[in-house]
Structure formats: structure tokens, C-alpha cells
Amino acid sequence: GTGRLMAAQGASPKERNPFPFSHLCADFHPPDAPADIVHIAELYGKADRFEEMVVCLNKLVDINPRLDERSRNLLSVAYSGVTAPRRNACRVMRSVQSSRSEPKTTADRQAKMLKDSVKKLETELTEVCQHVCSRLEALLPHAEDEVATIFYLKMKGDYHRYYAETTIGGPAEELQKTLALDAYNEAHQLVLEHLAPNHPLRLGVALNFSVFYYEILKSPDRSCTLAKQAFDDAVQCNTGEATAGNPSTAIMQLLRDNLTLWTTEAHVSKLIVIA
């Protein structure tokens, strides 16, 4: 999924209130055989039924937490599918809340309704992030190789980042920032050691890590440096076979788009300061 910026798409790892995905599709019962679970999860993914996908993949993880690449990708798609609309809903409602012109007092019935709605949406998103982060903590010790480890660490950074979005100004904000930063840092160090500069996972880590620096840590210089380095390294590594369907090419385009946006905003900001 993508945030306001283009990114490839929590509490402590011990979740207290796992999000009840099964309650959202109570009549759905996935098959028992792992191969059948993967097959039905793919079918539900094609139908954009992400809650059922999550129920399937949670069962698969319970059977065997050592996931192959196909299952890992399905897990990522499923969690992104249930998270993206909730992030967008929170973003829209907070925007409406901040744009209200009338006094926000307890006597203002509509303002209270809006505040309660925002709180409900943020709580739901928080519970989803807690669930995903808990799952990732359980999966990391069973990663089959460095690629799997990087994949999970990137996801861990992403979901702590999403969690941080719901805690801005709250007591949990710094914790979520730290947990996301640690996960992204570890993933970034591993990609530099084990993956080629034009590997899509290496580029995806750089993309999302740079968005984290820009959006959450408010560090445009660091985000631009990270994104530009990743883009330049990939360009030097490519041998002219880039195509529109190549995942690396697509992520490189997102990196370039973000760099254009960020450098333009920085230039405008400097002009305003000078003026």
C-alpha cells in the first residue's frame, strides 16, 4: 500500500487485544491442508477479500511458521489489504477534524461525535498493527534465509510506522518511532550486505525507510539522502533490461517521484523563510 507519500507497502510484541479478524468473517472456515490454505488465500486475494486472506494465513502460520516466499507475499498482501483502508479512514477523519472552524467544546455535539469517531478508527488501526507486529515477532525466528528476515523486518518497520501515525502527540509515539527505526535500520544493514542494489526488496526497504524519515521523524535531509543513494546505486547496477513490469523499475520510479516532491517542498520552504 501507499501512504500520502509513495511507499511500498504498535505496542509491545506481546499483543493484549489481538484484532478479531475471524469475527469479521465468522462463517468462513479455511481448509486444513497447508497447500489448500495457500490456494484459497490466493483466491480471496483476487477477490479483494483481505479479512478471509488473513484468517487463512494466520492458520497457516499456526501450522508452520516457516513460510516460503509465496506465503510471505500473500501474508503481506493480506495485511496491507486490511490496513490501507483503515489508515485512509483515519487520515480523512483527522483532516475533517482539523478543518472544523467552530469551537471544539464539549457542548458541541457534532465535534464530540467526530472526536469519538476518530478515536474508534485509531483504536481499530492500533489493534490491527498490534496483531501484525505480534505475528512478525513470532515469524522472525523461523525465517528461512536473509531475504525472509529482511522481508519481516521491513514489514515490522512498516507496521510500527503505521502505529506511530495513530499516536502522534500521545505517550506511545516515541516508543513506536523507536521500534520502527530499529526494524528499518536492521533491515537496511542486511540489504546492504546481502542484496544487489537493484533487488526489489532492497529498493523497497530504502523506499519505506525514507518515507519513515520524512513523514514520521520529520527529517527531509536524511530521507532524501537515503532515497537518492538507493536510486543511484540501482541505476549503476542496471544493465538496460528495465521494463514497465519490472518490480525494481516500479520502485525506482516511486523513489524518484518522492525525491522530486521532497526537494520541491524543501525549495519552496527555503523561499518562504527567505521571504
Side-chain angles (χ1 to χ4, degrees):
T2 61
R4 284 164 294 178
L5 298 170
M6 298 165 189
Q9 292 214 63
S12 66
K14 296 181 179 179
E15 58 183 301
R16 296 181 180 178
N17 298 300
F19 189 75
F21 290 104
S22 58
H23 293 183
L24 299 178
C25 40
D27 295 331
F28 173 70
H29 303 286
D32 294 323
D36 293 339
I37 294 174
V38 171
H39 176 67
I40 199 69
E42 287 181 329
L43 291 178
Y44 275 104
K46 291 176 181 177
D48 290 344
R49 296 285 296 186
F50 300 111
E51 283 81 5
E52 284 90 349
M53 277 191 81
V54 170
V55 172
C56 286
L57 292 159
N58 280 341
K59 183 170 183 177
L60 185 66
V61 171
D62 290 338
I63 293 172
N64 181 7
R66 191 177 176 85
L67 301 183
D68 60 15
E69 182 180 10
R70 180 186 181 192
S71 298
R72 290 196 303 270
N73 287 334
L74 285 173
L75 188 77
S76 177
V77 168
Y79 282 141
S80 178
V82 299
T83 305
R86 289 171 170 85
R87 290 179 69 209
N88 185 61
C90 287
R91 199 173 291 136
V92 170
M93 294 293 274
R94 284 195 296 263
S95 177
V96 172
Q97 189 178 38
S98 64
S99 66
R100 288 176 65 91
S101 57
E102 61 267 32
K104 300 180 180 65
T105 65
T106 54
D108 184 341
R109 184 171 58 87
Q110 291 186 347
K112 184 179 185 304
M113 289 169 58
L114 180 56
K115 181 179 179 181
D116 291 344
S117 297
V118 171
K119 180 63 176 176
K120 178 179 180 296
L121 289 170
E122 289 182 340
T123 298
E124 185 173 301
L125 179 56
T126 293
E127 290 174 353
V128 171
C129 292
Q130 287 177 333
H131 172 92
V132 178
C133 290
S134 176
R135 275 297 183 186
L136 292 170
E137 286 296 329
L139 286 165
L140 270 163
H142 301 279
E144 59 183 0
D145 54 23
E146 286 84 3
V147 170
T149 298
I150 294 165
F151 187 93
Y152 293 139
L153 286 169
K154 174 184 169 295
M155 280 186 68
K156 184 178 176 183
D158 291 341
Y159 283 87
H160 282 299
R161 170 162 62 94
Y162 305 156
Y163 197 158
E165 292 173 352
T166 72
T167 59
I168 296 174
E173 180 181 8
E174 291 306 315
L175 172 61
Q176 297 312 313
K177 286 181 178 179
T178 299
L179 291 172
L181 180 61
D182 289 347
Y184 281 135
N185 264 327
E186 189 173 352
H188 191 243
Q189 289 302 314
L190 287 173
V191 299
L192 295 179
E193 295 172 15
H194 298 286
L195 301 181
N198 61 349
H199 191 289
L201 183 55
R202 174 164 169 169
L203 288 166
V205 169
L207 176 64
N208 290 16
F209 197 5
S210 62
V211 168
F212 169 73
Y213 268 114
Y214 193 87
E215 282 206 325
I216 304 300
L217 296 188
K218 310 299 181 186
S219 179
D221 290 344
R222 186 70 184 91
S223 61
C224 286
T225 299
L226 183 61
K228 187 176 187 305
Q229 186 66 56
F231 182 86
D232 290 346
D233 289 348
V235 168
Q236 293 179 8
C237 187
N238 281 339
T239 57
E241 74 280 5
T243 63
N246 187 323
S248 295
T249 303
I251 300 172
M252 289 174 67
Q253 182 63 53
L254 295 178
L255 283 165
R256 186 164 62 179
D257 290 346
N258 279 352
L259 280 167
T260 300
L261 173 65
W262 294 338
T263 53
T264 300
E265 289 182 348
H267 178 67
V268 170
S269 177
K270 288 178 181 178
L271 288 178
I272 292 174
V273 171
I274 292 172

